[in-house]
Amino acid sequence: MGEIQKVGVVGLGAMGAGIAQLCVEAGVDTVGREVTAELGEKARDRIGHFLTRKVEKGQLDQSARDEAVGRLTLTTELEDFAGCGLVIEAIVEELEPKRELFAELDRICGPEAVLATNTSALSVTEIAAATTRPERIVGMHFFNPAPLMPLVEIVRAELTADEPFETAYAFGERIGKTPIRCHDTPGFVVNRVLIPLLNDCIRVLDEARVTPEDLDTGLKNGAGWPMGPCALVDLVGIDVHVHASEALYEKTREPRMAPPPRLVAMRNAGLLGRKSGRGFYSY
Ligand code: CAA
């Protein structure tokens, strides 16, 4: 299969908008789908804002910025993905909505299209099983914030064939990421390590009676982390982290995977981190 000419991104929340930003910056025509036109516009504004910051900092020409934003077409219709060689899904992190979406994409997209999920803790194989082309389904797992974090995990599901797998890998490189290849196991590579590690960090808050500020100072200055664990969970979203922990615990039954009660209580109280204005810190 030749180089991907047009890419689709389904769901333009923080992750989807970040992925769409990477695609348009790399010169790829991109169709972004949100459920309402207003949400689509919000995502385009977010992308425009971050690209404007690059112009202001001398990292990008104004004309290149405008061309990049111009490469993004917004839609609310999945039918508009018909001409895409690759579609990357970044919708709600729940299995059934993802399976329904992939069944629809399978119906709409050409037979050569590669369909990728950005799931962080669900099974790519189970999502692929909702389609008639499981050999063309892969995981492309980006990290938050997608435009800044270099890694993308290229995940091979049980039936993924070599060619679509390598197409996804090559596309990851083309948009400036550092891809790694792995198999479809709970949490893949990084979350398999990072989620229990962050859960341990949160448990230490109570065990060592350390404040979130001091814990973050500890990991930044004693372990070289770019940001502390409490700030990181706030960035990822406490709801997202709890949900991913629950999914991994369900699959592995390892106690360290289970979300610490403190995080569950914060999630239940609506303290979701940066996006809600309050988590361990106020924003
Ligand atoms: N999208 C696009 N651009 C963004 C952005 C975003 N979400 N956030 C920031 N930027 C841009 C901004 O324009 C910013 O510049 P200005 O502030 O001048 O406007 C520029 O990027 C640089 O931002 P920062 O100054 O905040 O960058 P930094 O050098 O402080 O690094 C960081 C920020 C990359 C987030 C760094 O702190 C870091 O590496 N933190 C760790 C993050 C991490 O571990 N992420 C993984 C989470 S786990 C996960 O994602 C897996 C999962 O499945 C849940």
Side-chain angles (χ1 to χ4, degrees):
M1 188 177 164
E3 199 176 61
I4 304 289
Q5 303 296 332
K6 192 156 100 172
V7 68
V9 180
V10 198
L12 298 175
M15 291 308 292
I19 294 165
Q21 179 182 325
L22 288 164
C23 295
V24 295
E25 276 193 270
V28 185
D29 287 332
T30 304
V31 183
R33 189 258 190 174
E34 254 302 345
V35 284
T36 65
E38 292 71 31
L39 285 172
E41 291 298 339
K42 210 172 139 191
R44 179 159 33 210
D45 290 349
R46 179 186 171 97
I47 293 169
H49 163 78
F50 285 125
L51 293 180
T52 297
R53 286 293 300 144
K54 281 191 154 181
V55 174
E56 287 165 355
K57 289 188 281 186
Q59 298 165 352
L60 192 68
D61 288 341
Q62 181 68 43
S63 58
R65 179 245 176 238
D66 295 343
E67 280 167 27
V69 175
R71 282 187 203 105
L72 177 66
T73 311
L74 296 174
T75 184
T76 55
E77 304 296 330
L78 290 175
E79 272 67 21
D80 290 330
F81 291 126
C84 293
L86 169 68
V87 179
I88 305 172
E89 166 275 316
I91 66 165
V92 61
E93 187 67 349
E94 283 170 27
L95 188 58
E96 272 321 305
K98 286 193 196 280
R99 282 175 52 89
E100 280 167 28
L101 173 69
F102 273 74
E104 276 288 284
L105 292 173
D106 185 29
R107 189 178 59 73
I108 291 162
C109 298
E112 295 295 297
V114 178
L115 307 181
T117 173
N118 178 52
T119 186
S120 52
L122 301 175
S123 156
V124 183
T125 303
E126 282 182 64
I127 295 169
T131 73
T132 60
R133 62 173 94 186
E135 69 286 352
R136 302 199 71 76
I137 314 297
V138 297
M140 286 185 79
H141 181 220
F142 292 84
F143 292 77
N144 191 352
L148 304 186
M149 298 301 287
L151 184 68
V152 56
E153 292 172 329
I154 308 296
V155 184
R156 185 188 275 277
E158 208 52 38
L159 297 176
T160 308
D162 290 346
E163 181 267 307
F165 188 62
E166 293 307 324
T167 298
Y169 185 96
F171 189 77
E173 282 189 319
R174 186 171 156 205
I175 60 173
K177 296 285 109 172
T178 304
I180 60 172
R181 297 176 181 85
C182 62
H183 276 257
D184 183 25
T185 51
F188 315 134
V189 176
V190 173
N191 275 350
R192 167 70 181 79
V193 177
L194 188 58
I195 285 182
L197 186 55
L198 286 174
N199 286 341
D200 279 349
C201 289
I202 304 307
R203 291 187 181 103
V204 165
L205 279 178
D206 298 320
E207 289 165 14
R209 281 173 274 170
V210 60
T211 63
E213 290 81 359
D214 279 357
L215 177 65
D216 281 3
T217 300
L219 270 296
K220 278 195 291 183
N221 292 283
W225 287 29
M227 67 200 297
C230 296
L232 181 55
V233 176
D234 272 2
L235 170 72
V236 166
I238 289 172
D239 53 339
V240 171
H241 179 83
V242 166
H243 194 276
S245 294
E246 280 166 347
L248 285 191
Y249 179 62
E250 203 178 291
K251 290 191 180 115
T252 64
R253 293 290 159 197
E254 284 183 35
R256 289 178 67 230
M257 298 291 181
R262 179 170 175 151
L263 281 186
V264 175
M266 288 174 78
R267 190 268 317 267
N268 292 346
L271 302 179
L272 306 182
R274 278 197 199 187
K275 65 183 158 195
S276 72
R278 229 177 114 197
F280 287 103
Y281 298 94
S282 293
Y283 298 89

